[in-house]
Amino acid sequence: MSMQPPTLKSRPALSPSLIAALRLAASKMTGPKRRAFEAEMTRKYCEGTPLLAEAVCGWGRQTVALGLAERRTGIICLGAQSAFSGRKRWEEQHPQAAQALRQLAEAHAPQDPTFRTRLPYTRLTAQAALNALTEQGYRADQLPSPTTMAEVLNRLGFRLRKVVKAKPQKKLKETDAICDNVKKKRPTRCQRKASNAGVSMVKRP
């Protein structure tokens, strides 16, 4: 009769429903999150033994061991795909040009007079920003397209919108009454001519 490995002698008596719940929860996670979850459940239910976790929950012992090591050291292991894949944004690839762009946008960004948003407006268009960066010495291969430049400005916290400095006030009824009163008191052109003619006739000898 073959003997069981020593690590399986203290196999925990978990209910089938709990085991199914643990497997389902782990299946919804990926990468470091899944390893951290499996490591925590292994410490809680399987005495921190990857072999028991594999026997009880069906998790890979190597994955559980890696999760336990990450939990112990605090160092997260990244795969080659997650570490080196993915394209960085333009402002991350060219931080100096992004800083120059921010300064240009701030120079053309008056404060919103309504104070309804913290996102400042800027009169700087995407094409104008490209032209300004080109004049500062940045090459064409370092600059994005106008469409991407507009997205970069939005990500930097600027909205491409014209700023309305002051709106005309609405016409009030009192204004009409004042204008009518002024028109009544002001003499017309014919009345002024007649008055001037009378004055000149009086002055003649």
Side-chain angles (χ1 to χ4, degrees):
M1 183 176 179
S2 60
M3 297 180 60
Q4 291 181 341
T7 52
L8 296 181
K9 287 184 178 181
S10 57
R11 180 169 179 169
L14 301 180
S15 63
S17 60
L18 179 58
I19 295 175
L22 294 176
R23 289 180 177 178
L24 178 61
S27 65
K28 300 297 183 180
M29 306 176 190
T30 58
K33 291 184 178 180
R34 178 168 183 169
R35 294 196 298 268
F37 174 78
E38 293 180 358
E40 185 63 29
M41 296 302 102
T42 300
R43 287 175 57 88
K44 184 175 182 180
Y45 297 110
C46 301
E47 302 178 357
T49 305
L51 185 59
L52 281 177
E54 184 180 44
V56 174
C57 299
W59 298 331
R61 67 181 77 175
Q62 294 179 351
T63 303
V64 175
L66 179 58
L68 290 170
E70 290 176 339
R71 189 180 187 278
R72 183 177 64 256
T73 61
I75 301 175
I76 305 300
C77 298
L78 298 177
Q81 181 177 2
S82 60
F84 301 102
S85 63
R87 185 177 181 181
K88 294 183 179 180
R89 293 179 173 179
W90 176 83
E91 55 269 30
E92 297 174 352
Q93 297 178 3
H94 307 281
Q96 294 182 354
Q99 181 61 28
L101 175 63
R102 181 184 295 275
Q103 294 176 357
L104 289 171
E106 289 177 351
H108 294 78
Q111 192 175 16
D112 181 18
T114 61
F115 296 98
R116 289 180 297 181
T117 177
R118 294 183 179 179
L119 194 63
Y121 300 99
T122 180
R123 296 193 185 97
L124 183 68
T125 63
Q127 188 60 48
L130 291 172
N131 296 337
L133 291 177
T134 301
E135 293 177 357
Q136 292 185 12
Y138 293 97
R139 302 188 308 272
D141 57 347
Q142 295 177 310
L143 301 178
S145 63
T147 303
T148 305
M149 177 59 73
E151 296 177 357
V152 171
L153 286 170
N154 290 334
R155 288 197 296 263
L156 293 178
F158 296 94
R159 300 180 64 180
L160 301 178
R161 182 179 297 179
K162 294 182 179 179
V163 179
V164 179
K165 292 185 177 180
K167 294 183 179 180
Q169 296 182 355
K170 294 182 179 180
K171 192 175 182 180
L172 303 177
K173 295 181 179 180
E174 292 79 0
T175 305
D176 294 335
I178 294 173
C179 293
D180 294 338
N181 190 20
V182 172
K183 290 180 180 178
K184 292 179 180 179
K185 293 183 178 181
R186 183 180 298 174
T188 60
R189 186 175 180 181
C190 296
Q191 292 174 348
R192 289 197 299 269
K193 287 184 177 180
S195 176
N196 294 334
V199 171
S200 60
M201 290 174 63
V202 172
K203 289 184 179 180
R204 288 180 180 178

